[in-house]
Amino acid sequence: MTTPADPENDAAPLRRAMASTLADTGVLADPAWRAAVEAVPRHRFVPGFYLPVGEPDPHGLTVWEPVTAALDYARWLASSYADTTLITQFDGDEPDWSQATPRHGGAPTSSSTLPSLVVQMWADADLHEGHRVLEIGTGTGYSTALACERLGSKAVASIEVDGHRLSQAAGALYGMGYMPALAVADGMYGYWPEAPFDRIVAACSFRAVPASLLAQTRPGGKILLTLSGWLYGYARVLLTVAADGTASGPLLPGTVSFMSARTHAAPSFGNPAHWATRADAPARPARHAPQRITGPTTEAFHLRFLAQAAVPSAQMTTLGESVLLADTVTGSAAVLTPQADGWQVREGGPVRLWTAVEDLLDAYDAADAPAAESFTLHVHPAGQHLRHPQIPSLPLPRP
């Protein structure tokens, strides 16, 4: 005789185990956040999700396998309480979980972020009782539920650009008795009806800090968001907003990435081979190899973000063995090609893209490889600038 599945009871020990693991790693130092993790049933927010499996397909695409309670109850429940990100949507298309099939490739557009990062974000935002918080990017609603459990539903507002996603999250939240203010809205503009806020926390990334978020934050309040760009470099920043509407704060350590706000996503740039023809200047030896910003290291992760600030409208791709930078705003291009003794680069257009990256890398090396947290972002009417005492100021794009 098979015992019927009972996720509400089966999940309780898994939640406690997950909370214990997160506490052991130092993420759940605050007992109140640990209590929230132990109380909120994550499985209620993820009726279906995709996990990567095996090797890429013959075309090099990641193979994603659907996971639901109907397909594999044990795997679904265990994965719901694993410290991993669960992909719930690709390319803006909502899956039919009753008929879900494996998929090959695609761009994730919604997910349930790994619990350790969710808790870390809330903790880094320095939330306390009495604060009113805006969450940008409701997603599945799991992180929203944690905030409601910690602060009370009346203290929480959450917005999501995808109406279907928000509808599903709202059903789960309301079904568990959480009643935050929810709305379909673009995070670029915050949410004026519920402003002002003591804290704004974004679960998506921006090329620069939206002005509306500053205007909706009380003086002394804080904004925690991830900065990103078209080179897919990332850095988190914690800003404190001043009474005059300016803001400043440090980059935070770590290698965290979030999906871009849809209005800040990189544009399609066309055929890489066409762009390569624009790099028509004579070839020269490259002072730095592209691996400085593409390698699988913490330093490369940090440098990719800094390099992106030096060439904010450039994108990067491969072209055979070469690496291409293409700038859809200025029409500039750079092609790096491996040689037996290093790399050579050809550039063209009004901006010497790889030269700008090399200048940044030279300054970084001369400053003895400063860590992310030694940089400060300043946001003021004249623009947004990333500053370090030993490195030239790096402007961010206009939001």
Side-chain angles (χ1 to χ4, degrees):
M1 178 177 175
T2 302
T3 303
D6 184 2
E8 303 311 314
N9 284 329
D10 294 344
L14 296 177
R15 283 201 303 277
R16 292 192 294 269
M18 183 175 73
S20 178
T21 298
L22 296 181
D24 289 343
T25 61
V27 175
L28 279 177
D30 184 342
W33 281 117
R34 177 166 183 165
V37 170
E38 291 179 343
V40 175
R42 190 188 188 202
H43 69 275
R44 297 277 293 273
F45 296 92
V46 285
F49 47 86
Y50 286 95
L51 293 175
V53 293
E55 298 295 323
D57 70 12
H59 302 287
L61 300 175
T62 301
V63 179
W64 298 91
E65 188 173 70
V67 181
T68 67
L71 290 170
D72 187 336
Y73 172 77
R75 186 185 185 200
W76 167 74
L77 195 61
S79 298
S80 297
Y81 292 97
D83 189 30
T84 189
T85 293
L86 307 174
I87 305 299
T88 56
Q89 186 191 80
F90 287 89
D91 303 316
D93 296 326
E94 196 64 32
D96 178 356
W97 294 113
S98 67
Q99 302 181 50
T101 58
R103 60 174 298 135
H104 295 240
T109 48
S110 190
S111 67
S112 177
T113 303
L114 65 163
S116 61
L117 177 54
V118 170
V119 174
Q120 188 68 60
M121 291 287 286
W122 287 130
D124 286 343
D126 193 28
L127 280 168
H128 299 287
E129 286 78 2
H131 281 164
R132 178 129 181 90
V133 61
L134 172 66
E135 176 189 41
I136 298 174
T138 313
T140 65
Y142 174 66
S143 61
T144 317
L146 290 175
C148 290
E149 185 70 29
R150 174 71 172 83
L151 300 173
S153 294
K154 291 183 178 180
V156 180
S158 184
I159 59 175
E160 169 62 48
V161 72
D162 186 320
H164 188 81
R165 285 276 85 208
L166 187 72
S167 177
Q168 291 196 327
L173 287 162
Y174 297 158
M176 284 177 276
Y178 299 119
M179 303 296 290
L182 300 175
V184 176
D186 189 332
M188 275 286 296
Y189 305 99
Y191 196 56
W192 282 105
E194 295 292 322
F197 303 100
D198 300 288
R199 298 289 187 270
I200 296 179
V201 177
C204 60
S205 61
F206 297 93
R207 297 181 73 207
V209 183
S212 58
L213 303 189
L214 300 177
Q216 293 173 34
T217 303
R218 288 191 176 98
K222 297 182 180 182
I223 301 171
L224 177 65
L225 53 75
T226 300
L227 298 169
S228 65
W230 296 348
L231 286 183
Y232 298 100
Y234 299 89
R236 288 191 308 150
V237 64
L238 180 62
L239 296 168
T240 299
V241 179
D244 62 0
T246 63
S248 63
L251 300 186
L252 301 182
T255 54
V256 172
S257 61
F258 278 105
M259 297 171 195
S260 295
R262 297 187 186 185
T263 49
H264 277 200
S268 298
F269 62 85
N271 188 325
H274 297 165
W275 279 94
T277 64
R278 296 189 63 80
D280 52 8
R284 65 168 177 83
R287 303 200 307 271
H288 296 277
Q291 288 88 344
R292 286 294 305 273
I293 65 173
T294 62
T297 66
T298 300
E299 182 180 59
F301 186 96
H302 174 42
L303 285 176
R304 195 177 182 96
F305 173 74
L306 296 180
Q308 177 178 267
V311 288
S313 51
Q315 297 180 61
M316 179 181 288
T317 188
T318 57
L319 186 62
E321 293 185 344
S322 298
V323 174
L324 168 73
L325 272 74
D327 188 327
T328 57
V329 175
T330 68
S332 304
V335 177
L336 291 111
T337 305
Q339 305 293 308
D341 57 349
W343 289 75
Q344 72 174 18
V345 59
R346 292 183 291 109
E347 298 174 290
V351 178
R352 292 301 189 249
L353 297 174
W354 193 247
T355 297
V357 172
E358 289 178 319
D359 291 345
L360 181 279
L361 295 174
D362 286 344
Y364 172 85
D365 291 340
D368 294 326
E373 54 268 37
S374 65
F375 290 81
T376 302
L377 180 65
H378 296 264
V379 182
H380 45 83
Q384 303 185 19
H385 293 82
L386 192 63
R387 292 175 180 163
H388 184 277
Q390 297 170 275
I391 293 178
S393 177
L394 294 168
L396 298 188
R398 287 285 180 178

